[in-house]
Amino acid sequence: MSKQTISDIITQLGRVLLGKPEQIKLALACILAKGHLLIEDLPGMGKTSLSHGIAQSLGLTYQRIQFTSDMLPADILGVSIFDKEQAQFIFHPGPIFKQMVLADEINRASPKTQSALLEAMAESQITVDGITHPLPSPFFVIATQNPSEQSGTFPLPESQLDRFMMRLSIGYPNAAAELEMLKGHDQSPQVMVLPQCISQIELVQLQQDVGKITASDALLNYVLALVEASRVQNEGFGLSPRASKALLQASKAWAFLNGRSYLVPEDVQAVFSSVAEHRIRSSSQQQGAALSQKILSNVNPIL
């Protein structure tokens, strides 16, 4: 896969989410690292547009699920209905059976409904009535959530947050990008059809290439030092071993997007906040952003 193809994907997504190249690149890095993505921001910032644009660009089947307070797990996973003619229960798959699922406003659903995604995100399968059903491959969840200060939200538990490899906040567009939006037509992927840039076979190959990115022992020790610092500075509620693996994989994906076959400290630093903030902020009095920046400042790479 050529560097030009990667550049084309980023450029195409830039037509959907104007003025946010770093967020687009981080989201793509998460997908290439085989991770799930959490986007937290105010309504109307382009969260849904970004997820739909990624699905179209990568040629993935896509399903948006609007989470609400009255939603049940069966509304997501599916349900078994008794068939009189066959005299047996027949499973009717829910909307989760797509390669990319957008869990829109996930924190508006109850914790019971939120937990319906845990097995799917961890093992790419679901279990209904004791029967396991594999999900399509590749399988990704992009979840959006509104700020917890808004009414009608249920905070995601730590176990659910830890399933997301990365968390992004899109933020307001700059003045130039917003002016372009106002001048132009509706550029959302729900209205325009984005061309598919790569095949699913090529996507899998890209993910395999990310896994081949090399990391020196000194670089791995730097990753471990950051993880250990999170545990010390956050009173023992720091990054889990799953998080340390996520940090390494996300760093490799970032290096790959920058055309390198090896890791450098800047790759780890570029993705650290996105990997760490949502995992450590819920257990600390400090904001996750402030704590992650403090960790980066206090831990220096020794290469």
Side-chain angles (χ1 to χ4, degrees):
M1 181 62 59
S2 67
K3 295 180 181 178
Q4 185 59 45
T5 303
I6 296 294
S7 178
D8 290 343
I9 295 174
I10 295 174
T11 300
Q12 179 164 282
L13 292 174
R15 294 165 50 202
V16 174
L17 194 64
L18 300 178
K20 298 295 179 180
E22 182 179 358
Q23 287 84 346
I24 290 173
K25 197 173 176 181
L26 284 169
L28 190 56
C30 185
I31 299 299
L32 294 182
K34 301 181 182 180
H36 304 292
L37 178 64
L38 177 64
I39 307 177
E40 181 181 82
D41 221 319
L42 296 169
M45 292 295 187
K47 303 185 292 294
T48 302
S49 296
L50 176 60
S51 64
H52 198 177
I54 292 174
Q56 288 191 350
S57 299
L58 302 183
L60 302 173
T61 58
Y62 175 83
Q63 180 65 56
R64 174 181 176 271
I65 306 174
Q66 177 63 56
F67 278 61
T68 58
S69 59
D70 59 348
M71 178 175 281
L72 298 175
D75 297 326
I76 302 170
L77 305 180
V79 63
S80 296
I81 299 177
F82 187 76
D83 188 301
K84 293 183 178 180
E85 293 183 359
Q86 301 185 42
Q88 62 179 352
F89 284 93
I90 304 297
F91 177 67
H92 295 261
I96 199 173
F97 283 84
K98 297 292 182 181
Q99 292 172 320
M100 179 170 286
V101 173
L102 172 64
D104 207 6
E105 296 186 306
I106 187 174
N107 59 337
R108 291 203 177 278
S110 67
K112 180 179 181 180
T113 302
Q114 293 173 6
S115 66
L117 292 174
L118 288 175
E119 182 184 9
M121 295 173 66
E123 303 177 36
S124 295
Q125 66 180 31
I126 64 166
T127 302
V128 177
D129 296 331
I131 301 176
T132 298
H133 304 274
L135 294 171
S137 180
F139 175 75
F140 304 105
V141 171
I142 296 182
T144 71
Q145 68 171 357
N146 297 326
S148 58
E149 298 81 15
Q150 293 192 346
S151 60
T153 60
F154 299 86
L156 294 177
E158 287 81 356
S159 59
Q160 182 84 58
L161 288 171
D162 202 34
R163 295 297 199 281
F164 290 101
M165 174 176 282
M166 297 172 69
R167 168 200 167 271
L168 299 180
S169 179
I170 295 175
Y172 292 110
N174 58 42
E178 194 159 9
L179 179 61
E180 187 175 346
M181 282 183 224
L182 296 176
K183 285 184 175 181
H185 300 291
D186 191 345
Q187 295 295 303
S188 69
Q190 292 90 336
V191 175
M192 65 177 183
V193 177
L194 298 179
Q196 180 178 340
C197 296
I198 60 174
S199 67
Q200 293 180 21
I201 294 177
E202 290 172 327
L203 174 58
V204 172
Q205 182 61 54
L206 288 179
Q207 293 175 328
Q208 293 174 352
D209 292 341
V210 166
K212 296 176 183 177
I213 300 293
T214 59
S216 65
D217 288 344
L219 198 288
L220 293 177
N221 286 331
Y222 177 49
V223 171
L224 291 176
L226 290 171
V227 171
E228 180 60 27
S230 75
R231 297 167 183 171
V232 172
Q233 296 187 31
N234 205 23
E235 300 178 353
F237 296 97
L239 298 177
S240 67
R242 181 191 285 125
S244 63
K245 291 181 180 179
L247 178 57
L248 180 60
Q249 280 300 107
S251 301
K252 288 183 175 182
W254 189 263
F256 180 80
L257 290 176
N258 284 278
R260 284 190 298 275
S261 61
Y262 56 90
L263 282 184
V264 296
E266 288 76 12
D267 297 320
V268 181
Q269 294 161 2
V271 302
F272 181 75
S273 294
S274 297
V275 173
E277 281 182 14
H278 62 289
R279 291 179 161 95
I280 59 181
R281 65 176 178 172
S282 59
S283 302
S284 171
Q285 296 299 318
Q286 303 181 69
Q287 291 293 324
L291 184 55
S292 66
Q293 290 304 313
K294 181 180 178 182
I295 293 169
L296 281 176
S297 300
N298 292 344
V299 179
N300 297 316
I302 302 176
L303 302 177

